[in-house]
Amino acid sequence: MLNNQTINKLEELKFTGMANGYRTQMETARYAHMSFDERLGMLVDQEMTERENRRYANLIRSAKLKFASACVEDIDYQPSRGLDRPMMEGLKDLEWLKHGIDLVLTGPAGTGKTWIACALGEKACREGLKVSFQRLPILLEEFKLAHVDGTFHSKLAKLTKVDLLILDDLGVSPINAQGRGDLLEIIDSRSTTKSTIVTSQLPVSKWHDYLSSGNPTAADAILDRITGGSYRIEFKGESMRKLRKK
């Protein structure tokens, strides 16, 4: 009876890992010969593991990664992709993210830009960092509505706070003056303090033409903040989707 009361109290305190571990210890004979310190240590370890797993699950859920199962350990380094292996291995430690450095991924459709971005995002979640995956065309449409209903600044603040923001598919749809201004606000709010990954089918050399649309000054400002000091990876080869079908 006393054991059940202890388990109930642990659950009320939200020490579910310790509660489950204590229940297991009570029901399994092999723990009976262990010392109090050994059993307590195991309970603390189980609580920490459960909390870490729960935090990771919450971070992955809130990140809304397009490829939630992508992970850096599964990166395909086949030569046709043109990936610099030493560079990719260096990115895995996330030191660039901790220093607010941006990452630009460009290349043809289907070459794995978004997958790599999601794999790095998943690794960031494993490290306990907050990640947000956003398809840029949809995000700019949401911001357009946010200007109308007065939620723009609160939405911008949320994106500013995440440790890693992934902006997917820059250049797949036309961008107007308001969208360009909103993109500048997003990038500027994170510049030098938080990291952003930008994926695009357009090579960086064509970004200025895409972003300017009569306002080269804004395009200059966006490019300076995104590409200045950022790491860049240019993907090559056939679409990974086509290769899988073959």
Side-chain angles (χ1 to χ4, degrees):
M1 183 66 69
L2 182 59
N3 293 340
N4 290 334
Q5 291 177 359
T6 300
I7 290 173
N8 290 337
K9 289 176 181 178
L10 287 171
E11 290 176 339
E12 287 179 14
L13 292 169
K14 300 188 184 302
F15 292 138
T16 55
M18 293 187 73
N20 292 332
Y22 187 48
R23 187 180 290 108
T24 300
Q25 288 187 10
M26 294 302 99
E27 297 172 351
T28 309
R30 68 186 179 88
Y31 294 102
H33 302 292
M34 291 184 178
S35 68
F36 172 81
D37 289 339
E38 289 175 322
R39 291 174 64 176
L40 178 60
M42 294 179 70
L43 293 178
V44 172
D45 288 343
Q46 189 162 341
E47 179 65 32
M48 289 188 65
T49 298
E50 183 162 318
R51 292 193 179 201
E52 289 172 358
N53 290 341
R54 191 160 58 238
R55 177 172 172 75
Y56 170 76
N58 289 335
L59 288 170
I60 282 290
R61 184 165 53 251
S62 63
K64 297 181 180 178
L65 299 172
K66 183 175 181 179
F67 300 106
S69 62
C71 61
V72 293
E73 290 79 10
D74 292 338
I75 294 176
D76 187 344
Y77 288 104
Q78 59 179 285
S80 61
R81 302 189 75 189
L83 292 179
D84 185 330
R85 187 162 192 149
M87 181 180 182
M88 290 303 306
E89 292 296 323
L91 292 174
K92 289 181 182 180
D93 63 14
L94 302 183
E95 282 300 312
W96 56 279
L97 196 159
K98 296 171 185 176
H99 294 286
I101 298 173
D102 296 329
L103 179 60
V104 175
L105 309 178
T106 59
T111 49
K113 304 179 297 297
T114 301
W115 192 96
I116 293 288
C118 288
L120 292 169
E122 189 275 340
K123 179 65 185 299
C125 289
R126 270 190 268 165
E127 297 294 323
L129 301 174
K130 292 183 179 180
V131 179
S132 178
F133 178 91
Q134 301 285 341
R135 285 204 67 244
L136 187 57
I138 295 176
L139 178 63
L140 295 181
E141 283 297 317
E142 291 176 351
F143 271 24
K144 181 180 178 180
L145 297 175
H147 282 289
V148 176
D149 63 23
T151 60
F152 172 77
H153 291 292
S154 63
K155 289 182 179 293
L156 179 63
K158 288 181 180 179
L159 292 184
T160 301
K161 292 177 181 177
V162 299
D163 299 295
L164 175 61
L165 174 62
I166 301 173
L167 297 177
D168 191 40
D169 278 341
L170 181 147
V172 299
S173 59
I175 188 168
N176 57 24
Q178 186 177 70
R180 184 171 54 244
D182 290 345
L183 177 58
L184 178 56
E185 289 290 342
I186 295 168
I187 298 300
D188 188 59
S189 68
R190 301 177 55 78
S191 182
T192 73
T193 59
K194 300 287 187 178
S195 293
T196 303
I197 297 178
V198 180
T199 76
S200 177
Q201 295 181 37
L202 294 175
V204 174
S205 60
K206 293 185 178 180
W207 283 17
H208 192 277
D209 290 340
Y210 167 74
L211 292 168
S212 59
S213 300
N215 191 340
T217 302
D220 289 339
I222 294 171
L223 280 173
D224 179 64
R225 286 161 176 77
I226 296 179
T227 63
S230 64
Y231 292 124
R232 301 185 195 178
I233 300 176
E234 184 177 352
F235 289 72
K236 301 175 183 178
E238 285 190 80
S239 166
M240 298 296 287
R241 300 184 189 93
K242 292 180 180 179
L243 290 174
R244 291 191 189 100
K245 288 180 180 179
K246 290 180 180 179

